[in-house]
Amino acid sequence: MTVSPPLHIIIINLFGAPWSSDVRLDGQTAVITGANTGIGKETAIDLAKRGARVILACRDMEKAQTALTEIIKSSGNDNVICMKLDLSDTKSIREFATNLKLNLLINNAGVMVCPYGKTADGFEMQIGVNHFGHFLLTYLLMDLIKSSAPARIVNVSSMAHSWGAINLEDINSEKSYNKSKAYAQSKLANVLFTRSLAKRLEGTGVTTYSLHPGVVQTDLWRHLSAPERFFMKIAKPFTKDSAEGAQTTIYCAVEPSLEKESGGYYSGCAAANCSAAGKDDELAQKLWELSCKMLSLSWD
C-alpha cells in the first residue's frame, strides 16, 4: 500500500471549485503549527493579510525566522511572531502552551511515511507528531481558546485517512511497522479527534474542522520511496502548490457559513465525506481514552 492517490482523486484535486473570502481577522490571534513551510506558511500569509496576529509554532527556529521575514513582507503585517514548538516532545508542547490568547488553532504540522522512529516520549513518530502532539497541544490551550470564543480549531488531515485503521492494541506500531499504514492511521486519528472534540465543545462557541488539503507539493514528500516519487513526478501537473493547498485550511478558519458547523470533514473548500471509520463514534471514544492514557491526561 502506498500513499499515492488514485488518478480520479488527482483530477478532482486539479479542478476543484475556487473559493475566496474578504473576511477580516483584526484583533484575533492564530496559532499555526508547522508554519515555516508549505501549507502552513501560506496559511500564515493569508491570515496575516486579514489582520490577524499570527504565531508561527515551529520546531526549527532558524527556518521559522526565515519564514517570519517572508510572511511579514508578503502580508504587510508585522504582528507575526515565531515560537519554539516540537510536537515530538511533550515537554516542548507544555512550555509552548503558556500565556497565550488565541481565536484560531491550526494543527497543521506533520510527518509523512517516514522510517520507523520514536518521539522523545517513546511514541511512534507519525502517530506521535500528527496525533498525540496536537492532542496534547489542544488540551493545554483549551481554556484559552474557550475564553476567546468564538474560536475555531482546524486539524489538517488527509484523504489517506480513508485507507487507515486505528490499531488500539499497537498504536505505536511496535509489533510491525508499515510507514504508509502508520501515516494513514495518524490521519484517521485527526478526523476522529475532530469529531470527538466537537461533541465536547458543544455550546462553548468553539468549533472544530478536519480537512484534506489536496495532493500538495510539499516537503512531506521527502520520505516517499523511489517508485512513489516517480509517480508523483508524473502526476505533478495535477497537484497543487502550497498556496493552493492552503485554501481549504483557510476556508475552515474564516468562512462565515461554518460558524454553526462543527466536527465535519472538508475538501476543496467544501464539506466532504470521510470514511466510515472516520464516522465511528465508538472508535473515536476509544481513541480519545487511549490518547488520554498515553499522555497521562484527564480530559472528559
Side-chain angles (χ1 to χ4, degrees), residues 3-289:
V3 298
S4 301
L7 181 58
H8 73 278
I9 293 179
I10 294 178
I11 293 173
I12 291 172
N13 182 63
L14 177 65
F15 297 106
W19 171 85
S20 64
S21 170
D22 59 1
V23 169
R24 297 291 302 171
L25 299 174
D26 302 282
Q28 297 194 35
T29 298
V31 169
I32 307 172
T33 66
N36 63 297
T37 188
I39 293 172
K41 186 171 78 171
E42 293 297 334
T43 301
I45 291 171
D46 183 277
L47 300 189
K49 286 181 177 179
R50 297 172 189 274
R53 174 176 181 256
V54 179
I55 299 172
L56 316 179
C58 303
R59 178 179 57 83
D60 188 323
M61 292 304 289
E62 183 177 347
K63 290 182 179 179
Q65 289 291 343
T66 300
L68 176 68
T69 301
E70 295 175 3
I71 291 166
I72 291 174
K73 181 178 180 180
S74 296
S75 67
N77 181 352
D78 60 5
N79 198 5
V80 182
I81 64 172
C82 53
M83 295 177 61
K84 174 78 173 181
L85 173 65
D86 184 349
L87 286 164
S88 70
D89 187 341
T90 57
K91 181 180 178 182
S92 174
I93 298 169
R94 292 181 184 278
E95 290 175 350
F96 174 86
T98 58
N99 302 316
L100 286 176
K101 182 175 177 64
L102 67 154
N103 306 90
L104 289 169
L105 172 59
I106 299 178
N107 291 322
N108 166 82
V111 291
M112 176 180 172
V113 295
C114 56
Y116 188 80
K118 289 191 174 184
T119 69
D121 302 276
F123 304 133
E124 183 274 316
M125 189 62 70
Q126 296 191 83
I127 195 71
V129 171
N130 298 352
H131 173 62
F132 288 134
H134 283 127
F135 189 98
L136 176 59
L137 178 64
T138 304
Y139 168 80
L140 294 171
L141 295 176
M142 186 52 60
D143 288 343
L144 294 169
I145 296 171
K146 286 180 179 178
S147 68
S148 304
R152 300 186 186 193
I153 300 168
V154 180
N155 296 316
V156 179
S157 180
S158 167
M159 66 178 180
H161 87 273
S162 297
W163 53 81
I166 303 295
N167 188 343
L168 296 168
E169 303 303 318
D170 187 26
I171 197 73
N172 287 312
S173 304
E174 293 176 323
K175 296 178 181 178
S176 65
Y177 181 69
N178 177 294
K179 64 181 183 179
S180 297
K181 289 182 179 180
Y183 177 69
Q185 172 180 246
S186 72
K187 295 291 99 179
L188 175 57
N190 294 154
V191 175
L192 293 171
F193 175 43
T194 302
R195 190 175 181 87
S196 293
L197 197 55
K199 293 185 176 182
R200 287 165 171 81
L201 291 173
E202 286 181 2
T204 65
V206 180
T207 49
T208 70
Y209 314 87
S210 65
L211 65 99
H212 167 55
V215 183
V216 186
Q217 305 159 28
T218 73
D219 290 344
L220 290 178
W221 289 12
R222 65 187 180 276
H223 293 302
L224 294 180
S225 66
E228 289 167 343
R229 288 197 299 271
F230 177 73
F231 175 85
M232 296 310 294
K233 185 176 181 179
I234 294 174
K236 189 173 182 179
F238 303 102
T239 63
K240 296 181 179 181
D241 61 25
S242 295
E244 293 166 333
Q247 293 309 299
T248 303
T249 300
I250 299 164
Y251 172 82
C252 289
V254 308
E255 171 57 39
S257 67
L258 299 185
E259 288 179 359
K260 304 299 181 182
E261 303 294 329
S262 190
Y265 176 75
Y266 296 80
S267 180
C269 298
N273 286 321
C274 65
S275 68
K279 302 173 184 176
D280 189 333
D281 288 331
E282 182 178 353
L283 178 61
Q285 178 60 27
K286 289 180 179 179
L287 176 63
W288 185 281
E289 293 171 356

